[in-house]
Amino acid sequence: MIRSLLHIGIVVPDLEVGRAFYELFGLHATASGRDLVFRCPGRDQDQVRLMPGEKKKLAYAAFGTNETGMAELKRRLEKAAVPVVAAPFDVPFGGIWFQDPHADWINVQVAEPAPTLSVLPPEVNAHGRYRRVGRACDPSTRNKKAVPLRLGHLIKFSPDVNVSVDFYTDVLGLRMSDRCMDILAFLHGSAGGDHHLVAFAKSSHTGLHHISFEVSDLDQIEIGAQTLLSAGYKDGFGLGRHVGGSNYFHYIRDPWGSLAEYFWDIDVIPEDDSDWVPLNVPPEEVTAVWASSPPPEDFVVNFEEP
């Protein structure tokens, strides 16, 4: 049923602090009532909604499906005795609202992701395949900016990863990509696509671990990260390349302790995923093929209050 991740909502104590971070990250902000919404440049789809509140908290995740998927989702929610309720937030979009087993809010809409700017990376000269002729970088390359193309995935903390996996697969129709026993699990959409659009990491309580945005090449990952680091934001983890998803990554801490990731070159799983064999290994075996440094101890710390 669930085919895509549309956007997420986060409650924060200071919208302007959030604006400064996400605009420097590369997103564009506009006001929406009392909230701030952020979009990728040139893409007509909200990606992050910041809502004012006393404490920072992941408020909800909004997913997309089609008409057939919505009908099946409603059937499964009724069978699982999960109530569909009125919108718990003052937001300008429709869809249905319900809570997962750990009381996190979910919104599902009949919607397809907006088209993404067609930005192909420059050709890469590899041995036996020299396609780029001429200079790749000149002094002006130092002025290059990170341009996020789309929100790729959301990683949430969960007090019971197995319970979360059962609900999001059995009721919402997501599918297993890889897992690390009861510590970490990556799920992809019912129509295939990115290696994961949502994942769960074990913690004492729910919360936001990270959101991740695709960029068009490796340069933009590191230029984006270095721009944020130069402005005083805290490094998270990277540069590196994951095993789970195979994507290159760099994480930066947002002002409230969660992580924002730039990624490039993620695995794609087909809709017929019968040939895909999920891994089930210890977390350290999916964290990174390589990285500029080991993951810091706080990489898996949940900074949201219970």
Side-chain angles (χ1 to χ4, degrees):
M1 284 87 58
I2 298 302
R3 300 167 64 90
S4 63
L5 173 63
L6 300 177
H7 74 276
I8 68 162
I10 310 173
V11 173
V12 296
D14 192 322
L15 294 181
E16 291 307 312
V17 168
R19 182 203 295 270
F21 175 80
Y22 284 111
E23 286 189 335
L24 193 60
F25 189 87
L27 303 180
H28 290 172
T30 58
S32 176
R34 298 174 62 239
D35 307 336
L36 279 178
V37 295
F38 296 84
R39 293 184 172 188
C40 297
R43 186 161 184 262
D44 187 21
Q45 181 178 319
D46 295 348
Q47 303 283 252
V48 177
R49 174 175 288 268
L50 295 186
M51 302 179 289
E54 291 185 5
K55 295 184 292 186
K56 181 260 182 178
K57 176 178 174 55
L58 176 64
Y60 67 87
F63 297 98
T65 187
N66 55 21
E67 293 282 2
T68 302
M70 180 65 83
E72 175 63 14
L73 173 60
K74 290 178 178 178
R75 186 192 70 80
R76 293 193 187 191
L77 289 170
E78 183 177 5
K79 181 179 179 181
V82 177
V84 174
V85 301
F89 307 99
D90 183 15
V91 291
F93 52 86
I96 63 172
W97 291 86
F98 54 92
Q99 290 176 290
D100 72 9
H102 304 300
D104 285 345
W105 286 105
I106 298 171
N107 169 257
V108 181
Q109 304 169 39
V110 175
E112 294 292 336
T116 299
L117 288 173
S118 180
V119 180
L120 296 177
E123 292 286 2
V124 175
N125 281 340
H127 182 72
R129 193 176 64 182
Y130 297 102
R131 294 179 176 175
R132 176 176 54 76
V133 177
R135 189 189 303 275
C137 295
D138 61 32
S140 69
T141 307
R142 297 171 60 88
N143 299 320
K144 191 174 179 178
K145 302 293 184 183
V147 180
L149 301 173
R150 64 185 176 98
L151 173 63
H153 55 264
L154 159 70
I155 310 300
K156 299 173 58 178
F157 287 110
S158 169
D160 192 321
V161 170
N162 289 336
V163 168
S164 293
V165 166
D166 288 347
F167 181 81
Y168 281 75
T169 55
D170 295 346
V171 180
L172 304 191
L174 298 178
R175 301 172 182 174
M176 179 64 66
S177 300
D178 291 314
R179 71 180 305 156
C180 304
M181 292 81 78
D182 66 344
I183 301 171
L184 183 63
F186 301 91
L187 306 179
H188 61 275
S190 62
D194 286 3
H195 174 271
H196 51 286
L197 63 79
V198 66
F200 300 98
K202 191 171 185 177
S203 177
S204 58
H205 56 284
T206 63
L208 172 62
H209 182 267
H210 78 265
I211 51 176
S212 185
F213 289 84
E214 184 179 27
V215 291
S216 61
D217 59 26
L218 190 61
D219 272 347
Q220 288 198 29
I221 290 180
E222 205 53 20
I223 288 172
Q226 294 301 324
T227 297
L228 289 159
L229 293 174
S230 296
Y233 293 103
K234 184 180 178 182
D235 202 0
F237 178 35
L239 178 70
R241 189 174 195 182
H242 286 310
V243 175
S246 301
N247 49 297
Y248 297 91
F249 66 85
H250 200 144
Y251 299 85
I252 303 295
R253 290 280 175 197
D254 74 14
W256 298 282
S258 294
L259 294 161
E261 178 191 24
Y262 296 107
F263 80 88
W264 175 62
D265 191 21
I266 197 166
D267 289 336
V268 170
I269 299 176
E271 183 170 3
D272 178 3
D273 58 3
S274 56
D275 289 335
W276 181 268
V277 180
L279 299 173
N280 190 0
V281 295
E284 59 270 18
E285 294 191 25
V286 301
T287 301
V289 180
W290 58 266
S292 57
S293 61
E297 289 185 4
D298 66 359
F299 183 63
V300 292
V301 172
N302 186 352
F303 287 97
E304 287 190 23
E305 295 183 24

